[in-house]
Amino acid sequence: MKPVILKTTNLHKNFGGVKAVSDFSFEVREGEILAIIGPNGAGKTTIFNLLSKIYEPDSGTIEFDGRDITKTSQIDVARLGISRTFQNARLFTGLNVLDNVKVALDYNARYSLIEAMLMLPRRWKYEKETSRAAKECLELLNLYEYADKRPDNLPYGLQRRVEIARALVVNPKVLMLDEPAAGLNPEEVFQLMDFLREIREKYPETAILIIEHRMDLVMNICEYIYVQDFGVTIAKGEPAEIQCNPHVLKAYLGEED
Amino acid sequence: MTAYQLSLVMLACISVITVSGVFTMTSLAGMFSLGQAAYMSICAYLTFVLARYLDWPIWFTAILGLLASGLVAFIISLPALKLRRDYFALLSVGFGEMVGAIVILLGKWTNAAVGFSKIPKVNGLVWIVLGITVLIVFMVRNLKYSRFGRMAIALKTDEIAARSFGINVYRLKVKIYVIASIIAGVGGICFGLRNRVIAPDSFDWSLSAEMQILLFFGGTNSLSGSAVSAASLKVLPELLKGVKLFGMELQDFKTIIYCVLIILIINFRTKGLMGEQEFSLAPIKKLAKKLNRQHKKEIAK
């Protein structure tokens, strides 16, 4: 079995009196695809925000690649290799698709402000490298034809794929997708599923975490599922187990009288 | 060219320098400031007062002035850039007023509100100013197309998303603010050398506001657009001097004409005349290629 890459133990987060996440423990292994599902308000996005350190957890620990990242800042967590997408495709509208992908690599390029302004050799060298990596990623994911388009001129399905490309270009160890199928029509959802399978092949080392509502997508793609309801994990297991779990049915369909 | 025409060229150049400074912070990083004229003031006063009282060469004091405005910008930015955008704009107005007040307080050296006029004459100034302008625009352009430009545009659109790609938002903002303030300082020195007199009034908040207006007129995200608008809108009123309409001086309507232009722009082109487009040589190149091809065809015939 592959090594555990990301692991949380007893994660808690309260907002005022509301327990958004309580006692959340999970682990994901290298190259695994794992889904967190649950009805609206179950605290799924809060879990992502805790993992990417947009929120600080009230208690509990997060462990990444064998080191404790509970106290690490959002920026450093991103640099360690936890990439994410957002629920509403937050692409940078002022930049074209290629630059959107390049910007994810930019913190890492080693040339200074002065070198950038005077066009010194190091700027050329690193700029070339960044462009090459970004183009490679776009080509790999069949998005290169849109490289110089503005993201707001693209259909929503494509925007989501560009956003995933932007998160993938840094070769992250963990990729977190926050409702990748939200707002997509059924055809686009199929394309997205193919797209995710492609990613699976092309980035075999990357562990993928998905938050989703669409059962078809989750059941088809994921290897392991956590079900959340009101901040509590009510079930976990493989897709087939989850499908007939009475707790899950109750949370999703309501109680039988 | 007559001396008057040369001074108009310099006026345009100075306007381009200061507006490109504002471009780096407002268009790239989304920091809206109404205090950039204060950095012109700091830099100009330091340069000329030191040159006068310590008898140091002007190029040396100019470097000191630039370093000082960079340093002041750094100190101001540490607390200020933690604020939300609107509060940052408010703070910048206060900062601008404060610098003006300090200049008056130090009246013993700066000659207070009367203005400091012991500024050395520099020969061939227009060429120096033109050279500096080209250099500054070139540098700001490079900045826009570098990793810093991209990261700045990213943080302008969405700070949380920018952070989740490892961008250190705060540090980048500080860097860009310092650079913008140094560029404003360059503009201040050129301003002093051209006018041969500087007064606290020459650098009040209305000058900062004017820079923002020129920037927005030309295009919120277009360096070339805002440079062209900075040069032309600044020189236009001078050219209108002496032009009469219905027996009244057209120049008296300068403010009204500006305001009407701004209202039109805000209503019909919210992102400025050029928006995000840059003037580029691409269409000219295309045309040249086309002509070349036609020429070859004709030869082949």
Side-chain angles (χ1 to χ4, degrees):
Chain A
M1 240 179 158
K2 285 187 168 169
V4 172
I5 189 84
L6 185 67
K7 181 179 167 186
T8 67
T9 31
N10 303 10
L11 217 54
H12 276 278
K13 179 73 189 174
N14 293 356
F15 291 112
V18 182
K19 281 185 184 154
V21 175
S22 63
D23 221 11
F24 181 68
S25 305
F26 93 120
E27 55 178 46
V28 58
R29 291 169 189 280
E30 240 175 49
E32 197 178 17
I33 299 193
L34 189 149
I36 301 171
I37 62 172
N40 281 327
K44 294 167 298 186
T45 300
T46 310
I47 292 173
F48 267 25
N49 286 344
L50 287 172
L51 291 177
S52 61
K53 300 317 297 280
I54 293 177
Y55 298 150
E56 290 295 320
D58 293 335
S59 66
T61 55
I62 309 171
E63 224 175 274
F64 173 72
D65 211 2
R67 61 187 271 196
D68 186 18
I69 57 160
T70 319
K71 293 270 175 288
T72 318
S73 74
Q74 191 196 345
I75 296 165
D76 291 330
V77 165
R79 290 179 181 193
L80 281 174
I82 302 184
S83 270
R84 67 169 295 177
T85 66
F86 293 90
Q87 221 170 80
N88 40 357
R90 288 159 97 160
L91 288 165
F92 302 123
T93 43
L95 300 168
N96 66 24
V97 168
L98 182 64
D99 283 347
N100 259 292
V101 177
K102 272 159 101 175
V103 90
L105 295 162
D106 271 337
Y107 75 86
N108 205 15
R110 280 190 182 118
Y111 61 91
S112 67
L113 203 62
I114 308 288
E115 282 170 311
M117 291 177 91
L118 296 175
M119 286 242 182
L120 298 180
R122 262 162 48 121
R123 177 214 182 256
W124 292 105
K125 193 182 144 207
Y126 283 102
E127 203 63 9
K128 228 184 194 171
E129 227 165 75
T130 311
S131 294
R132 190 189 48 76
K135 278 178 191 164
E136 240 176 50
C137 172
L138 283 178
E139 261 163 18
L140 204 60
L141 303 174
N142 299 321
L143 290 167
Y144 190 64
E145 52 186 308
Y146 310 104
D148 44 6
K149 292 249 169 39
R150 281 299 169 98
D152 35 352
N153 295 336
L154 294 177
Y156 198 62
L158 270 174
Q159 285 187 33
R160 303 233 66 140
R161 277 154 66 180
V162 171
E163 205 199 3
I164 296 172
R166 180 178 67 172
L168 265 178
V169 69
V170 289
N171 273 322
K173 298 214 175 85
V174 177
L175 173 68
M176 306 199 288
L177 305 174
D178 194 348
E179 298 204 15
L184 301 188
N185 62 37
E187 198 196 336
E188 285 174 323
V189 173
F190 274 115
Q191 285 170 0
L192 183 78
M193 279 186 336
D194 289 338
F195 187 67
L196 291 176
R197 284 199 193 98
E198 255 172 65
I199 291 174
R200 179 102 235 85
E201 277 165 35
K202 286 166 181 169
Y203 293 85
E205 297 293 291
T206 306
I208 303 178
L209 289 181
I210 303 178
I211 288 181
E212 209 19 273
H213 276 304
R214 307 286 277 252
M215 281 304 151
D216 43 350
L217 190 138
V218 172
M219 295 301 167
N220 266 317
I221 286 191
C222 299
E223 293 155 1
Y224 205 78
I225 297 174
Y226 284 75
V227 189
Q228 292 288 115
D229 194 21
F230 292 112
V232 187
T233 311
I234 54 170
K236 57 184 177 182
E238 280 163 21
E241 299 170 40
I242 294 295
Q243 263 167 330
C244 41
N245 184 313
H247 292 292
V248 179
L249 294 177
K250 204 169 91 184
Y252 265 89
L253 304 173
E255 217 157 338
E256 267 178 75
D257 282 324
Chain B
M1 279 207 278
T2 64
Y4 175 64
Q5 282 166 331
L6 289 179
S7 89
L8 280 191
V9 171
M10 282 192 275
L11 185 73
C13 285
I14 292 163
S15 172
V16 171
I17 293 174
T18 51
V19 169
S20 20
V22 176
F23 178 88
T24 49
M25 59 185 295
T26 306
S27 298
L28 292 183
M31 295 180 268
F32 187 86
S33 155
L34 287 173
Q36 285 313 92
Y39 292 103
M40 294 174 73
S41 172
I42 292 173
C43 193
Y45 270 103
L46 253 166
T47 305
F48 299 124
V49 170
L50 284 183
R52 162 82 186 148
Y53 289 102
L54 297 177
D55 254 336
W56 285 345
I58 190 97
W59 60 265
F60 182 65
T61 55
I63 291 173
L64 289 183
L66 291 177
L67 289 179
S69 59
L71 186 69
V72 173
F74 178 69
I75 294 168
I76 293 290
S77 68
L78 289 181
L81 289 177
K82 293 220 157 133
L83 299 176
R84 232 173 56 195
R85 275 172 202 179
D86 30 5
Y87 290 105
F88 172 75
L90 270 180
L91 188 136
S92 70
V93 178
F95 170 69
E97 293 302 301
M98 186 186 82
V99 170
I102 290 175
V103 168
I104 291 178
L105 272 178
L106 297 175
K108 197 175 149 200
W109 297 285
T110 61
N111 219 0
V114 182
F116 185 83
S117 59
K118 292 166 186 118
I119 294 173
K121 190 171 175 9
V122 175
N123 288 324
L125 182 64
V126 68
W127 299 114
I128 298 172
V129 173
L130 260 175
I132 292 175
T133 312
V134 171
L135 184 69
I136 295 273
V137 172
F138 173 71
M139 282 173 27
V140 172
R141 180 210 161 267
N142 293 347
L143 191 66
K144 184 181 170 185
Y145 294 114
S146 72
R147 70 187 183 108
F148 296 99
R150 281 194 298 271
M151 291 194 292
I153 294 173
L155 83 86
K156 179 173 81 167
T157 341
D158 191 333
E159 279 191 23
I160 290 183
R163 263 193 220 109
S164 74
F165 290 101
I167 298 171
N168 195 332
V169 169
Y170 179 62
R171 257 179 66 183
L172 184 64
K173 274 183 170 178
V174 170
K175 274 184 192 168
I176 288 196
Y177 185 65
V178 169
I179 288 287
S181 305
I182 291 177
I183 295 175
V186 174
I189 297 175
C190 295
F191 179 94
L193 289 172
R194 172 185 179 269
N195 291 25
R196 304 287 305 284
V197 57
I198 45 174
D201 278 357
S202 3
F203 306 110
D204 61 357
W205 76 272
S206 65
L207 182 62
S208 312
E210 191 189 86
M211 294 180 208
Q212 293 284 0
I213 290 170
L214 294 175
L215 175 74
F216 274 77
F217 187 85
T220 40
N221 283 323
S222 161
L223 176 61
S224 46
S226 48
V228 169
S229 94
S232 51
L233 282 190
K234 193 79 182 184
V235 172
L236 198 67
E238 299 287 330
L239 295 179
L240 290 179
K241 234 178 217 171
V243 179
K244 285 198 174 170
L245 195 71
F246 308 123
M248 286 182 286
E249 281 274 350
L250 202 54
Q251 223 209 344
D252 296 341
F253 293 95
K254 182 175 118 182
T255 319
I256 299 173
I257 294 173
Y258 265 11
C259 295
V260 170
L261 276 180
I262 288 159
I263 291 169
L264 289 176
I265 283 286
I266 286 178
N267 269 306
F268 297 110
R269 298 217 51 149
T270 32
K271 287 189 162 176
L273 270 188
M274 294 291 290
E276 301 186 350
Q277 241 55 51
E278 296 282 1
F279 289 110
S280 79
L281 295 175
I284 302 173
K285 275 184 197 158
K286 243 187 207 168
L287 191 74
K289 259 188 198 163
K290 206 176 152 193
L291 288 177
N292 200 7
R293 233 179 290 138
Q294 278 178 353
H295 186 67
K296 270 183 189 161
K297 260 186 203 165
E298 272 167 33
I299 289 175
K301 272 179 194 171

